[in-house]
Amino acid sequence: MSAESALALAPVIIFAPLLSFIVLMTAGRWPAHLRERAHCFAIPGIVVSLGASLYAFAAVALGGAHAAVERSFAWVPTGDFVLRMGFRLDGLAAIMLLVVTIVATGVQFYSIGYMHGDPRYWRFFAYLSLFSCAMLGLVLANNLLQLYIFWELVGLCSYLLIGFWFERPEAMRAAKKAFLVTRLGDIGFLLGLLILFRHAGTFEYAQLFQRLPEIAAATPMVLTAAALLLFCGAIGKSAQFPLHVWLPDAMEGPTPVSALIHAATMVAAGVYLVGRMYPLFQAATEPWAPSVLGMTLFQATPLQFVAAIGAITAVLGATIGVLQSDIKRVLAFSTISQLGYMMIGLGVGGFFAGLFHLVTHAFFKALLFLGAGSVIHGTGTQDLFEMGGLRKKMPQTFWTFLIGSLSLAGFPLLFSGFWSKEEILLGAFHVSTPIFVAGILGAVLTAFYMTRLVVLAFFGEPRNPEIHAHESPLNMCLPLWVLAVLSIGWWKFVMLPLHHLIDPGHFSAEVEHAGIVQILGIGAGLLGILAGYLVYYRQSPAPRRALIALPLVGERLVPGATGWLGRAPGVYTLVKNKYFLDELYASVVIAPLFVVSRWAHRFDVKVVDHFVNAVGHVTLLTAILQGKFDKQVVDGAVNGAGWTAGQVGQGFRRLQTGLVQGYALIVFVGLVAATGLYLYFGFR
């Protein structure tokens, strides 16, 4: 078993789901009983990819080789430059392959029960297969251009899946919003890619990384600009502030889509991009210093900027998640917050920490979304305030959801989320106090809103007597238990041996003050759980008033509150409305674009169309005149010449009588005429 032999399976990993997609896209002509079994054609493709990914992971982990293995071939030869494409396998790619295929396989099995009876059942599995293919191709790419191609394919697939129920206006609006907002970030990605190619002369990672010191010595600001532009792509895909607004609306898609997008594919792509291009971010040490009217606003290296954006996103998502009543939207804002944590890990130099949290988050967040789907399937509602008492009616969903919630909340020692968050907090502790404080605050709020979610959904008495909850079928519960096992803290001991494979030569967290950070991390998680328990389970007014500063809400959470709390409904309104960021986009971005679009439309109709129509009329008139000239003059001249020739011919034909005396007369007349002409001209 070697990494080279595993690399030979790269085409199989990518093209097995693609083959499933191609087969399923012909299913529209299949008999109905075959379309209802479309999963039989989709699941084998992702299972093959899973098997090959397990082999690749084992080959890299057991081989212990730090160096990446690559295989490439000529794609587009253009003169002296040959554009190549190929595959790259290293520790980072191996762990990402495993995460993507495990989650994608679980989602497809889960979808058998969840999507049963949907009229486009076969098409759903086709889109899932194409989505998996795109993400796996992105992970295995050995150059930036190839990564960008699969990156855009992931965006296309997200549009198709989020808008799968396109009959619903909300779903179509969400799909368009996700597609357009992420395109804003992708513009930066493309520009950064082109800048790097302009100065390095290659798209391939290995050659590009080798030339970074040379570029840094000559033009250090180029690397800073390229890193920031590439990070723009990550901001869009990974839903970082300020391009996070698309992710909550993506909940309009089917729940398995939410699990796949939010756990291991689309949103993870941005984190993977920063991780893959980490040598670039390390080499870009020249600070970025934006200024307005000659005044410098701030100075930050690309990694510092990544950490700052991550900290803002982590706190922003957590505070909004506190007040959501839709179970899927709580998890959506939780995803935004946790992606912020990953960016904090990458930004403070904890390369391994950020990717460790990506792995753990993929499993427990997929578990939570699929668990939420099970709740929706069993109750028919997404409103937390219509649920209650589900732990008795849906025991398997409850226990698995509880495991995922505790992992997300960072419950100490037993769950994977605690260990990965601890790594991030440890890195932030050594680099930046404000970012560390933001991380602690985010941890408290995360534990609070997850306790709130569990209590409202599974404890107490049913709030809506019309809802008759029931447990989901086995094909939906089985993936929950698999993901629950993967959300346990044993991942700590799996990831640690892979540290040097995934993160050779990068940041290694110091053990100094590790105990303090661990105590603070444990305290943050337990404090959030305690606050949620007191506020929502015990419903004790005194503790609720004492702990109300934690979720930053006002009197609507605590009816009858007095003092400063009763005078603070504005805080509640601000957080409940997601800081009015959607409205800000609507007024600052969308409204001006609509104005520009209307003026562009008017210019098109009044100027461009009139000009085109005028050109058309002139062309038509010219054609008519040309036709008449051709018919009356050219055709007339040709026809006249023909008629004249005919008449002359007819005249000469009359002379051909066949009589000797007639010919003799012609000869005589000719001689007389010739003699006369000779005499006339000869004597002049």
Side-chain angles (χ1 to χ4, degrees):
M1 182 180 294
S2 64
E4 288 79 7
S5 63
L7 185 63
L9 296 175
V12 176
I13 295 174
I14 297 174
F15 293 115
L18 180 62
L19 180 60
S20 297
F21 166 76
I22 294 172
V23 172
L24 287 171
M25 287 306 293
T26 66
R29 300 179 179 271
W30 295 2
H33 69 280
L34 285 180
R35 291 199 298 269
E36 293 173 356
R37 293 172 174 81
H39 56 272
C40 298
F41 300 90
I43 291 178
I46 194 63
V47 169
V48 168
S49 294
L50 173 61
S53 298
L54 285 169
Y55 180 87
F57 177 79
V60 173
L62 299 177
H66 294 176
V69 291
E70 294 190 27
R71 184 173 298 171
S72 62
F73 54 89
W75 182 23
V76 182
T78 55
D80 296 333
F81 176 75
V82 179
L83 188 62
R84 307 182 68 84
M85 70 182 305
F87 311 104
R88 178 187 175 98
L89 182 62
D90 55 9
L92 175 59
I95 191 67
M96 282 297 299
L97 287 176
L98 195 62
V99 170
V100 172
T101 52
I102 288 176
V103 175
T105 302
V107 167
Q108 292 208 14
F109 274 105
Y110 179 92
S111 299
I112 298 174
Y114 192 89
M115 298 299 294
H116 178 71
D118 193 281
R120 293 185 298 276
Y121 183 78
W122 58 274
R123 184 169 292 180
F124 181 78
F125 279 93
Y127 292 164
L128 285 183
S129 298
L130 183 61
F131 202 9
S132 302
C133 166
M135 190 63 195
L136 293 169
L138 184 153
V139 170
L140 284 170
N142 76 330
N143 63 84
L144 264 178
L145 181 62
Q146 189 176 333
L147 185 150
Y148 180 77
I149 293 171
F150 283 108
W151 178 280
E152 293 296 342
L153 184 57
V154 166
L156 173 62
C157 293
S158 70
Y159 172 80
L160 297 174
L161 286 169
I162 295 171
F164 183 76
W165 290 325
F166 55 82
E167 304 90 347
R168 298 162 49 185
E170 297 84 0
M172 280 308 303
R173 284 195 295 268
K176 288 189 290 185
K177 185 176 183 179
F179 188 80
L180 294 175
V181 172
T182 54
R183 292 292 76 69
L184 292 176
D186 292 351
I187 294 172
F189 185 3
L190 181 60
L191 292 174
L193 180 153
L194 295 175
I195 289 174
L196 285 176
F197 177 75
R198 169 67 177 81
H199 288 83
T202 181
F203 292 112
E204 297 184 40
Y205 301 140
Q207 299 179 26
L208 177 62
F209 296 157
Q210 289 177 356
R211 297 173 188 177
L212 288 178
E214 178 184 343
I215 300 173
T219 51
M221 210 50 208
V222 167
L223 295 185
T224 298
L228 290 173
L229 288 169
L230 290 182
F231 183 57
C232 288
I235 288 176
K237 273 290 193 291
S238 292
Q240 298 295 285
F241 175 83
L243 298 183
H244 66 282
V245 294
W246 69 268
L247 192 58
D249 292 344
M251 298 299 98
E252 297 297 336
T255 297
V257 173
S258 302
L260 195 59
I261 289 178
H262 287 244
T265 54
M266 186 171 175
V267 296
V271 180
Y272 175 80
L273 174 64
V274 178
R276 174 57 72 197
M277 299 303 298
Y278 207 72
L280 168 65
F281 284 85
Q282 286 186 312
T285 57
E286 187 72 17
W288 177 48
S291 61
V292 176
L293 300 175
M295 299 177 59
T296 301
L297 300 178
F298 61 87
Q299 286 188 336
T301 64
L303 280 180
Q304 291 172 339
F305 188 71
V306 169
I309 291 295
I312 294 171
T313 306
V315 175
L316 184 77
T319 54
I320 298 175
V322 166
L323 293 183
Q324 297 301 306
S325 59
D326 186 304
I327 186 172
K328 289 178 66 176
R329 287 188 175 267
V330 174
L331 298 177
F333 284 104
S334 167
T335 299
I336 293 173
S337 181
Q338 298 307 304
L339 289 167
Y341 268 101
M342 298 174 204
M343 293 300 181
I344 290 175
L346 294 170
V348 298
F351 178 75
F352 173 78
L355 295 175
F356 184 15
H357 196 55
L358 186 153
V359 174
T360 60
H361 175 265
F363 296 130
F364 64 67
K365 185 53 61 72
L367 169 60
L368 290 171
F369 267 109
L370 295 184
S374 179
V375 170
I376 297 168
H377 184 270
T379 62
T381 182
Q382 297 182 197
D383 191 342
L384 288 170
F385 293 98
E386 292 186 356
M387 302 177 187
L390 297 181
R391 63 188 177 94
K392 297 179 180 179
K393 297 181 179 180
M394 305 180 69
Q396 296 193 65
T397 301
F398 165 67
W399 285 110
T400 54
F401 197 95
L402 182 63
I403 292 172
S405 299
L406 291 173
S407 187
L408 174 58
F411 193 83
L413 304 179
L414 297 178
F415 300 96
S416 59
F418 166 77
W419 295 107
S420 56
K421 281 187 181 180
E422 184 198 19
E423 294 282 340
I424 294 172
L425 292 175
L426 184 58
F429 183 83
H430 290 285
V431 175
S432 173
T433 299
I435 291 177
F436 176 74
V437 172
I440 292 293
L441 178 60
V444 173
L445 293 173
T446 299
F448 178 87
Y449 67 66
M450 288 309 301
T451 305
R452 169 182 180 266
L453 190 157
V454 171
V455 170
L456 290 176
F458 295 98
F459 289 87
E461 298 296 326
R463 300 179 186 85
N464 189 344
E466 297 181 359
I467 294 177
H468 304 285
H470 58 85
E471 186 60 273
S472 299
L474 180 62
N475 53 19
M476 293 178 65
C477 290
L478 183 59
L480 298 182
W481 283 109
V482 172
L483 291 169
V485 172
L486 294 173
S487 300
I488 304 298
W490 60 268
W491 264 101
K492 166 79 170 178
F493 308 100
V494 174
M495 291 294 291
L496 277 180
L498 300 176
H499 185 287
H500 297 292
L501 293 177
I502 299 174
D503 185 25
H506 292 156
F507 175 88
S508 179
E510 302 177 20
V511 295
E512 185 183 1
H513 306 302
I516 298 175
V517 174
Q518 194 170 73
I519 292 172
L520 291 174
I522 292 174
L526 294 180
L527 179 61
I529 293 173
L530 176 63
Y533 170 77
L534 293 175
V535 173
Y536 288 98
Y537 189 79
R538 291 292 300 274
Q539 298 184 354
S540 175
R544 290 169 77 180
R545 279 194 285 269
L547 296 168
I548 200 62
L550 297 175
L552 299 177
V553 298
E555 61 182 0
R556 300 198 186 181
L557 185 60
V558 187
T562 59
W564 71 270
L565 184 60
R567 296 190 298 271
V571 179
Y572 175 91
T573 303
L574 181 66
V575 179
K576 182 68 175 177
N577 290 278
K578 299 171 287 185
Y579 298 96
F580 296 99
L581 289 174
D582 285 303
E583 290 78 6
L584 181 64
Y585 270 104
S587 58
V588 176
V589 179
I590 298 175
L593 285 176
F594 270 112
V595 172
V596 173
S597 300
R598 284 194 293 269
W599 279 103
H601 175 71
R602 291 177 182 175
F603 180 81
D604 181 61
V605 173
K606 301 295 186 182
V607 179
V608 178
D609 284 357
H610 285 177
F611 177 76
V612 172
N613 292 335
V615 171
H617 289 311
V618 171
T619 303
L620 180 61
L621 180 61
T622 303
I624 293 173
L625 293 175
Q626 286 180 339
K628 290 184 177 181
F629 180 82
D630 181 66
K631 190 173 183 179
Q632 302 294 330
V633 180
V634 179
D635 289 355
V638 173
N639 294 335
W643 180 84
T644 302
Q647 294 299 317
V648 172
Q650 289 292 334
F652 281 106
R653 185 178 180 184
R654 293 190 185 96
L655 298 177
Q656 297 176 352
T657 60
L659 301 175
V660 176
Q661 58 270 31
Y663 297 144
L665 178 61
I666 293 172
V667 172
F668 176 75
V669 172
L671 288 173
V672 172
T675 302
L677 291 172
Y678 175 77
L679 293 175
Y680 177 77
F681 289 103
F683 289 100
R684 290 191 56 151

